[in-house]
Amino acid sequence: MSDVRFRVAVVGATGAVGREMLKTLEARDFPASEVVPMASARSAGMKLPYKGGEIQVQELTEDSFEGFDLALFSAGGSTSEKFAPIAARAGCVVVDNSSAWRMDDDTPLVVPEVNPHDLDWHKGIIANPNCSTIQMVVALKPLHDEATIKRVVVSTYQAVSGSGQKAMVELENQVRRLMSGQEAESEVYPHQIAFNCLPHIDSFLENEYTKEEMKMVNETVKIMGDESVKVTATTVRVPVFFGHSESVNIETAKKLTSAQARGILAQAPGVTVFDNPSENVYPMPVECAGQDDVFVGRIRVDDTIENGLNMWIVSDNIRKGAALNTVQIAETLIERNLVRVL
Ligand code: A2P
């Protein structure tokens, strides 16, 4: 990278993903001349740690983006719908974590290990995919390149941090209350999440799937750039704080042995193969939380179909599933000279 430095706005900086974005920018020594955290009026003036000091949260308004080069958003869909175009009109390149722009035809949906070339046609807004989709496509793309994936059947085990800070507090409080003989109180989720599994993430649609499930179906096709890949998903919230897990079954056009799949994944960018069952080695959220990579294990042949494989994919949903992927998109934009410095 050159010596050029960028003014960066982090919108939703007080949230679970926003805080991780600040940490990620710092840890990766992102070439920023200034990083400004933004959130709602409720948080204006709050101080957040950055590079050994503190930076002060500014209220997000329509005038917030003058003079910024990049705006990294994680403040929910309605905030992105309203403010991402305002930021883009002010000259910023926006990388947005919400679902607001993901399926928009004029908005690239990018995982840098998979489709960095899609950044080249951006019109000011780039969408960061859904967390469950990101970790799955990082692992599936190298297998697709080698053996052409025809069908994917995925079931997820998703951490509560994916629902934001309030959900983490809800799980913690419910565990405390239930362990001391009190009733669990639920606000974020429709049911108790402690000691439970909810086959319900985001709202239900007319086709009887949830929005989260259809995100995995539609986003995977857009990112892989291949409409022939069929995906069906069941998404489940589990009482884990950090790290989404996925049981993934794929059917390929060309046969792959488990050893071949392991070999391909071992070479793939952003993937660590963690697969030695005889030693009890396989990816688990408690180990993958706080790490950058997508971890794959339990790779084995599904012999109920001609060319089938099963695998278990785990990644930190707040890192690769959100903050890290967003920052990697910003880094790739810079590498490809796609940020206009104001
Ligand atoms: P605030 O803390 O001021 O409410 P999470 O997903 O962890 O709940 O975080 C959501 C983030 O989005 C927070 O930083 C929150 O700020 C921010 N946010 C939510 N609504 C708005 C809004 N209308 N304008 C600006 N920031 C918002």
Side-chain angles (χ1 to χ4, degrees), residues 187-206:
E187 274 180 32
V188 177
Y189 298 115
H191 301 282
Q192 171 189 323
I193 181 65
F195 313 112
N196 204 6
C197 297
L198 310 183
H200 174 184
I201 301 185
D202 210 327
S203 47
F204 285 99
L205 298 168
E206 269 186 18

Side-chain angles (χ1 to χ4, degrees), residues 46-272:
M46 184 194 273
K47 301 232 167 70
L48 295 173
Y50 186 71
K51 290 206 165 173
E54 285 181 327
I55 48 179
Q56 194 165 337
V57 176
Q58 293 187 6
E59 180 186 349
L60 175 67
T61 69
E62 297 192 8
D63 305 320
S64 290
F65 298 100
E66 293 305 325
F68 283 89
D69 308 304
L70 280 160
L72 312 182
F73 273 64
S74 189
S78 54
T79 306
S80 294
E81 245 165 62
K82 176 172 175 194
F83 286 96
I86 292 172
R89 276 197 298 276
C92 275
V93 181
V94 174
V95 187
D96 179 39
N97 251 290
S98 80
S99 59
W101 301 94
R102 288 183 191 147
M103 296 312 294
D104 177 62
D105 285 343
D106 284 334
T107 305
L109 181 67
V110 174
V111 178
E113 292 88 340
V114 178
N115 61 336
H117 49 271
D118 280 330
L119 291 173
D120 297 344
W121 53 268
H122 87 77
K123 297 183 170 64
I125 303 175
I126 294 115
N128 192 66
N130 174 260
C131 43
S132 324
T133 311
I134 293 177
Q135 68 184 64
M136 186 170 81
V137 296
V138 167
L140 292 192
K141 179 62 168 42
L143 300 173
H144 186 55
D145 288 345
E146 182 64 33
T148 309
I149 295 173
K150 290 160 53 181
R151 179 167 185 251
V152 181
V153 183
V154 53
S155 299
T156 68
Y157 306 67
Q158 297 184 220
V160 295
S161 51
S163 319
Q165 216 127 38
K166 281 190 189 140
M168 291 192 277
V169 173
E170 182 156 305
L171 172 57
E172 195 181 325
N173 286 343
Q174 286 185 356
V175 170
R176 273 188 222 287
R177 288 180 67 88
L178 289 164
M179 294 303 284
S180 59
Q182 295 170 283
E183 269 187 31
E185 289 170 348
S186 306
E187 274 180 32
V188 177
Y189 298 115
H191 301 282
Q192 171 189 323
I193 181 65
F195 313 112
N196 204 6
C197 297
L198 310 183
H200 174 184
I201 301 185
D202 210 327
S203 47
F204 285 99
L205 298 168
E206 269 186 18
N207 69 358
E208 299 180 300
Y209 284 77
T210 60
K211 267 193 190 167
E212 183 82 356
E213 287 159 354
M214 294 315 295
K215 284 174 196 169
M216 293 194 80
V217 172
N218 297 322
E219 292 180 20
T220 299
V221 168
K222 181 167 175 180
I223 298 162
M224 306 258 270
D226 188 344
E227 287 191 3
S228 69
V229 180
K230 303 294 174 215
V231 181
T232 187
T234 303
T235 57
V236 182
R237 189 72 68 190
V238 297
V240 164
F241 283 99
F242 295 100
H244 288 355
S245 305
E246 298 176 343
S247 163
V248 179
N249 175 273
I250 59 169
E251 183 177 358
T252 52
K254 189 179 133 188
K255 193 161 200 67
L256 281 181
T257 65
S258 52
Q260 283 170 330
R262 246 176 244 122
I264 292 164
L265 289 167
Q267 304 294 318
V271 176
T272 297

